[in-house]
Amino acid sequence: MCVVDDEPKILRFVSANLRSIGYEVATAASGEELFDKFDLISPDLILLDIMMPGQDGFEVMENLRKFSNVPVIMLTARSNPKDKVQGLNVGADDYLTKPFSLDELFARVNAVLRRSQSNPVNSAIANSPVVRTGKLAMDLGSKRCWLGEEELKLTQTEYAVMEILALNLDKIVPHKTLLSKVWGPQYQDDVEYLRVGIARIRRKIKDLAGEEKEYIVTYPGLGYMLSSQS
C-alpha cells in the first residue's frame, strides 16, 4: 500500500505502524510523487491526505480514477460532512478524520482490503456466473460489468454494491444489508456512503449508455433494487 501525506511526522507514524503489523508500505509526500512512482509500487490500497500543496487530495483522486480503481481511504483533519461527501463523490472508498486511533486505522485498512480481495457471495456466484438486465451484464466470475459492448469501469466498492444487487435481481436489498456486506457491520447506519456510491454508479451508467436507464431503483426508506425491467 502507499501512504500519501505532506506532513513527515504523519507519514512516518502511519507507515511505521502499518509495517509493524505486516503490511508493505511505500510513502509519497505529494500527489505528484504518488503518480511518479505508481507503476513501480503498484499499491493495493492508498491512504491519501486531503490538505496537500500542489494537487490536493480531491484532485489526486480525480486524476487517479482516470486510470486506476485501486481502493483509497482519504485522511483529513477537516470534519465538515461536505468534505466527506466530496471525497466519496470523487471515488474514495472510505474517509478517516484526524486525529484517529491506531485501532480505527487498522480496522478501516483491514476492512477495505478484505472487501477488495474477497468475494462475499462465492456460493451464489458459482451458480449464477452472469446476470443480465437490458444492456447491462454482470460477469460475477471475472468481477466485470458491461453495458452492451462497453465495459463499465467500477471501483471495487462500486462493483461490490452492484454484485449484491445483481444477485438479488428484482428484489429490494435493504440499506443496512448493503452497508453491512460492502463496508462492514459498523457502517450499517452510514446511509451517506451508500447514497453517494449509488449516485456514482448511476452517473457512470448514464455517461456510458448515453441515455436515461433506471437500472437501479430507489425505494425510499427501504433500499435499492436492480430491475430486470430495463
Side-chain angles (χ1 to χ4, degrees):
M1 76 179 66
C2 185
V3 182
V4 187
D5 199 306
D6 65 310
E7 297 183 45
K9 289 183 179 179
I10 295 291
L11 209 58
R12 288 195 299 270
F13 173 77
V14 173
S15 59
N17 280 284
L18 288 169
R19 290 187 185 111
S20 73
I21 59 172
Y23 288 113
E24 293 184 13
V25 184
T27 61
S30 66
E32 292 80 1
E33 185 180 352
L34 168 67
F35 293 133
D36 284 344
K37 59 173 63 173
F38 189 87
D39 288 338
L40 179 64
I41 61 178
S42 188
D44 55 1
L45 173 66
I46 295 173
L47 278 70
L48 176 65
D49 185 40
I50 290 181
M51 299 176 68
M52 296 187 294
Q55 295 183 45
D56 66 16
F58 298 127
E59 293 174 294
V60 173
M61 274 298 314
E62 289 176 349
N63 290 323
L64 181 66
R65 286 296 179 243
K66 293 175 182 177
F67 67 90
S68 175
N69 287 327
V70 60
V72 176
I73 299 175
M74 301 196 85
L75 308 177
T76 181
R78 306 191 317 202
S79 57
N80 189 327
K82 291 183 179 179
D83 292 329
K84 178 179 179 180
V85 171
Q86 185 176 353
L88 297 172
N89 265 324
V90 293
D93 296 82
D94 206 343
Y95 191 99
L96 192 54
T97 303
K98 302 174 183 175
F100 47 79
S101 69
L102 286 176
D103 286 344
E104 184 176 14
L105 172 65
F106 296 158
R108 298 291 181 100
V109 166
N110 290 336
V112 171
L113 286 174
R114 185 169 58 250
R115 185 161 72 240
S116 68
Q117 294 170 356
S118 66
N119 192 325
V121 283
N122 279 324
S123 59
I125 286 174
N127 296 321
S128 182
V130 178
V131 176
R132 300 180 186 276
T133 171
K135 296 180 181 178
L136 183 68
M138 294 281 298
D139 186 331
L140 304 179
S142 65
K143 289 181 173 286
R144 298 172 76 180
C145 189
W146 303 83
L147 266 175
E149 300 297 319
E150 298 289 329
E151 183 170 4
L152 183 63
K153 299 291 187 181
L154 301 175
T155 67
Q156 290 164 330
T157 298
E158 291 163 357
Y159 179 85
V161 171
M162 284 295 288
E163 182 177 83
I164 293 168
L165 292 175
L167 287 165
N168 292 276
L169 189 65
D170 290 329
K171 298 177 182 177
I172 300 172
V173 182
H175 297 135
K176 288 191 175 184
T177 299
L178 280 164
L179 286 162
S180 182
K181 286 188 174 182
V182 175
W183 282 271
Q186 68 272 33
Y187 292 87
Q188 62 180 317
D189 294 320
D190 291 328
V191 180
E192 203 166 68
Y193 278 79
L194 186 56
R195 186 179 299 118
V196 173
I198 292 288
R200 281 181 54 80
I201 295 169
R202 284 174 167 157
R203 188 162 59 246
K204 289 183 177 183
I205 291 174
K206 181 181 177 182
D207 289 346
L208 192 58
E211 58 186 348
E212 291 281 357
K213 287 286 188 180
E214 194 175 19
Y215 288 97
I216 303 172
V217 182
T218 301
Y219 287 84
L222 297 175
Y224 297 94
M225 181 183 80
L226 184 66
S227 173
S228 64
Q229 308 302 312
S230 299

